[in-house]
Amino acid sequence: MALDVARLEQDLGRGLAPVYLLLAEEPLQAIEAADAIRAAARAQGFLERTVLDLTAQSDWGPFEAAVRDRSLFAERALLDLRLATGKPGKTGGDHLKAYAADPQEDLVLLLQLPRPDRDMRRAAWFKALENRAVVIHARPVPPAQLGGWIRGRLQKNDLRITDDALALLVSRVEGNLLAARQEIEKLALAGVTEIDEAVLAEATTDAARFELFALAPVALRGNVRHALRMLEGLLDEGQPEPLILWALARECRLLVQAMERKAAGAPDREAFQGSFGDGQKALRQAMSRLSLPAARGLLGEAARVDRVIKGQENGNARQGLLDLVARMAGCELTPPEPALNPERV
Amino acid sequence: MELSFNRETMTEALQRIVGAAEKRLTMPILGNVRLRPDEHGAIRMDTTDLELAWQAGAEGTIPGECDVTVSVRKLLDVVKAAPADSEIRARVEGERMTVGFGGSRFSLATLPGADFPDWEARGSEVVLDVPQNRLRRLLEATMFSMAQQDVRYYLQGLLLVASGTSLRAVATDGHRLALAEVELESPVEGRVERIVPRKAVAELRRNLADDESSLRIGFGEDQVVFELGNAVLRSKVIEGRFPDYERVIPSDLPATLRVDRELLKRALGRVAIVASDKYRGVRMVLGENGCQVMTHNADREEAQETIEAEYDGGPLEIGFNLGYLADVLNVLETEQVRIGLRDGNSSILIQAEPPGGARYVVMPMRL
């Protein structure tokens, strides 16, 4: 019988199957499904648990021993077998087939497998076990359903979320369910019931990291005032200068690459390789404003700031970053600095 | 600084305490023995792996200010290499210790004694005395049932229970259990239970004499101390709750099998030849015709053996791990053994015949 993760809990309530095949394509769903099975087994008197991590090269003796040996202290047991490669090999396959033919009543076998491929699905041991087993395929949540998935989880924690905040959260976790769960746990601790963008910004991930990547697009859009304020904020917050420079230089490099490729007649997809969404829009805007030499000049400036940060050139790193951001936004902030900077001497 | 000692007494002391020294050196000093004078001016030696610690004494001369450590294995090998009963001299200079006898000279690296991890000796709540040979028999009767590499860390040791005039040892790996007791000459106050780790049990067993000489056991809050003559073994105890072993010892078993111990042991040894090497299962068929043991393996090879035995129950078929039965038959000493059974799925109780002394519980296998 095939089940999806959402229906597993209900099914476990009706009693345990002799074998569970857990196909772990997505880690969080797989972890939670395995937890649910273990909890149900414990609740139903399968008190002892043997964990085995086997491969095709393993000695399968411990598996056989776990199947045969009975415990003095628990009448029923859970055999938690992990097959991380999904390939038990000839010996392992024979053991699994033999078990499928003659499963033990007082034993539940939980077999954790990776993402199924055709070879696995067609293997004799898999088919043999499949007939006896509940098969749970822990699939990734498709991007279109991630919003609903997150909202459902929040509801379990008695939390409501606005549509805008939900869209923001979805974009941040980018399909990484483990990250999504972490964010939700943090929100649950934030002590609010209604989540909007402000709460999200405060409660979840280092908003700083988010800002770090937002800085370059804002600058490239030509929004000088906003960009400089963000930069000041990042510096005051203690973001390391090399990290800020790296984020800026990366966008400058993408800008030069896009302009060069465009000039060579490359299609958009190739020209904007490496940039997405907001970032790409900002690049397009900067391209309409800047010439190729000016863009290359930005890279040169970034290189100079890099040397300053590393102490290979005289200058003030903070000022260098401010200059660079201003130039990216299309504005000359200060004339070149004097050769000797008293602050560095 | 000059030390001198006798080859024989030094070898004996070092052999005692060498087991505590680490083989895998996480800290180099744990492979060393600390040498310093004791309160009577004799040589005091210490080794430890941080879980257990040995302390031993040897006659000899040692300067009062001496406190040095040197590899215990190398020192033992050097001392053993000396001619029998010779007097050995050692000189500590700077970071070297030069050991010499006859025309031989060995220069060994040392580490300062002050860096040697010190064990806080704590007071013991309960102290008891027991003859070494009886404790030795108690350990031998039970220690083979301790778990090896089990996540249930508390099974990787031997439970010692002292109460009244009895000292009890219990070991189990979750599939079989061994329980034995010795009678104490004078009663202890209250009741104390401690789980002694595998390695300490093995070290203790290795050093127990086969005579009536007395051994003192002190049970502290988090350590046990065994005092054997001029050597002391201290071990941390395993924290954790030992399973309720009394609950799993079956009683009122309806059927009894009485069989010659050697006969059964040899029969099991023979049928083991074709037993599947993976789980070593043996099937036992009991009925009016006595006892049959049989094995088979994946290649459909079979072995069967009929043993003369006295059985008073109904027909019964039951499977075991050969190793579990053999271990018990090896440590029992009587001519006959008595096996109590209920059915093919329930644990059995193995005892000497006539019963008394150690009790062994073995869980059957699924066949």
Side-chain angles (χ1 to χ4, degrees), chain A residues 185-298:
Chain A
E185 281 169 358
K186 275 193 268 180
L187 286 167
L189 293 172
V192 289
T193 51
E194 173 87 25
I195 297 153
D196 54 22
E197 279 172 276
V199 174
L200 198 60
E202 202 155 304
T204 63
T205 11
D206 34 2
R209 214 180 95 207
F210 192 69
E211 294 271 307
L212 180 66
F213 292 108
L215 173 61
V218 168
L220 288 177
R221 277 218 175 91
N223 196 339
V224 187
R225 198 181 283 266
H226 187 188
L228 289 176
R229 208 172 49 230
M230 281 174 79
L231 176 61
E232 293 271 6
L234 286 170
L235 288 167
D236 290 348
E237 191 169 76
Q239 284 290 333
E241 287 157 354
L243 190 64
I244 298 173
L245 179 67
W246 167 77
L248 293 172
R250 180 177 174 274
E251 292 299 314
C252 292
R253 234 177 337 257
L254 285 173
L255 177 67
V256 173
Q257 169 196 299
M259 289 172 96
E260 282 173 350
R261 288 192 182 169
K262 266 305 225 199
D268 267 17
R269 203 163 52 87
E270 205 175 300
F272 290 104
Q273 197 184 8
S275 66
F276 312 92
D278 247 20
Q280 199 180 98
K281 276 188 219 153
L283 283 184
R284 284 175 195 279
Q285 219 163 335
M287 281 167 73
S288 64
R289 181 161 50 79
L290 294 168
S291 64
L292 183 56
R296 288 194 179 130
L298 289 176

Side-chain angles (χ1 to χ4, degrees), chain B residues 13-315:
Chain B
L14 286 172
Q15 266 166 346
R16 267 207 167 174
I17 66 174
V18 70
E22 282 269 301
K23 287 196 187 95
R24 282 167 298 161
L25 293 179
T26 44
M27 278 163 69
I29 204 162
L30 295 184
N32 285 6
V33 53
R34 182 181 194 179
L35 301 166
R36 55 186 158 153
D38 68 7
E39 59 268 38
H40 311 297
I43 304 172
R44 171 182 166 168
M45 288 170 278
D46 289 279
T47 53
T48 183
D49 66 359
L50 301 179
E51 292 297 313
L52 62 88
W54 268 111
Q55 179 197 321
E59 288 304 316
T61 59
I62 181 166
E65 73 277 14
C66 181
D67 188 359
V68 69
T69 77
V70 58
S71 162
V72 61
R73 275 169 227 285
K74 286 200 195 96
L75 183 62
L76 175 59
D77 287 346
V78 167
V79 171
K80 270 202 299 196
D85 224 13
S86 56
E87 200 62 20
I88 300 172
R89 289 183 180 283
R91 175 194 291 275
V92 182
E93 261 170 342
E95 290 175 355
R96 297 273 142 189
M97 176 163 158
T98 313
V99 186
F101 48 82
S104 309
R105 286 285 171 281
F106 299 86
S107 174
L108 305 177
T110 66
L111 289 168
D115 293 348
F116 196 78
D118 210 1
W119 264 53
E120 243 178 280
R122 300 221 186 91
S124 299
E125 291 163 29
V126 172
V127 177
L128 57 88
D129 293 304
V130 60
Q132 293 199 20
N133 55 355
R134 290 168 77 176
L135 183 67
R136 181 169 158 158
R137 228 160 290 145
L138 183 76
L139 298 185
E140 283 169 355
T142 50
M143 59 190 284
F144 64 86
S145 290
M146 289 187 287
Q148 301 190 35
Q149 296 175 335
D150 198 298
V151 284
R152 293 165 294 183
Y153 54 92
Y154 48 83
L155 296 185
Q156 300 192 42
L158 185 72
L159 178 75
L160 289 181
V161 187
S163 78
T165 56
S166 109
L167 176 66
R168 174 181 279 192
V170 188
T172 178
D173 63 4
H175 305 294
R176 40 116 172 237
L177 179 143
L179 183 154
E181 282 174 333
V182 287
E183 195 80 8
L184 300 174
E185 265 150 37
S186 50
V188 296
E189 274 177 42
R191 176 190 170 90
V192 63
E193 290 193 17
R194 295 288 182 272
I195 307 172
V196 185
R198 274 190 82 85
K199 187 175 174 190
V201 175
E203 276 297 300
L204 181 61
R205 157 68 191 82
R206 194 170 66 80
N207 282 283
L208 287 172
D210 199 8
D211 58 37
E212 292 280 325
S213 54
S214 180
L215 163 100
R216 173 160 290 184
I217 309 179
F219 294 90
E221 193 185 327
D222 56 1
Q223 53 177 266
V224 270
V225 184
F226 302 93
E227 292 173 34
L228 323 82
N230 61 352
V232 179
L233 171 67
R234 280 182 292 150
S235 169
K236 291 188 179 161
V237 298
I238 298 178
E239 305 278 336
R241 211 167 58 89
F242 204 77
D244 183 1
Y245 60 90
E246 279 172 327
R247 186 177 60 87
V248 300
I249 299 173
S251 55
D252 302 326
L253 292 170
T256 306
L257 172 75
R258 283 184 192 81
V259 60
D260 185 277
R261 185 173 63 90
E262 277 298 322
L263 203 64
L264 179 58
K265 194 169 120 182
R266 291 214 196 98
L268 290 175
R270 283 189 293 267
V271 295
I273 296 168
V274 304
S276 150
D277 53 352
K278 290 193 183 76
Y279 58 94
R280 300 188 25 97
V282 59
R283 186 188 300 267
M284 204 180 247
V285 181
L286 304 171
E288 283 171 18
N289 305 332
C291 170
Q292 273 185 315
V293 287
M294 45 191 84
T295 53
H296 66 271
N297 62 20
D299 300 328
R300 293 167 187 261
E301 294 168 320
E302 290 176 359
Q304 190 175 332
E305 179 105 27
T306 307
I307 313 161
E308 202 180 304
E310 200 183 303
Y311 176 64
D312 63 5

Side-chain angles (χ1 to χ4, degrees), chain A residues 48-49 59-62 64-77 91 95 102 104-107, chain B residues 151-152 155 172 174-177 243-245 247-248 278-279 321 324 344-345 347 361-367:
Chain A
E48 210 164 272
R49 170 171 158 234
D59 168 17
W60 278 69
E64 204 54 36
V67 168
R68 301 285 160 204
D69 279 346
R70 267 181 240 249
S71 165
L72 270 173
F73 302 104
E75 279 168 21
R76 299 194 277 184
T91 341
H95 279 284
D102 179 25
Q104 306 288 340
E105 306 171 8
D106 41 8
L107 199 67
Chain B
V151 284
R152 293 165 294 183
L155 296 185
T172 178
H175 305 294
R176 40 116 172 237
L177 179 143
D244 183 1
Y245 60 90
R247 186 177 60 87
V248 300
K278 290 193 183 76
Y279 58 94
N321 182 323
Y324 292 172
N345 296 323
S347 57
V361 183
V362 178
M363 204 59 198
M365 280 178 114
R366 302 182 181 94
L367 284 179

Side-chain angles (χ1 to χ4, degrees), chain A residues 6 134 295:
Chain A
V134 169

Side-chain angles (χ1 to χ4, degrees), chain A residues 319-330:
Chain A
Q319 191 60 48
L321 284 171
L322 287 165
D323 282 340
L324 176 61
V325 167
R327 272 180 73 176
M328 282 169 77

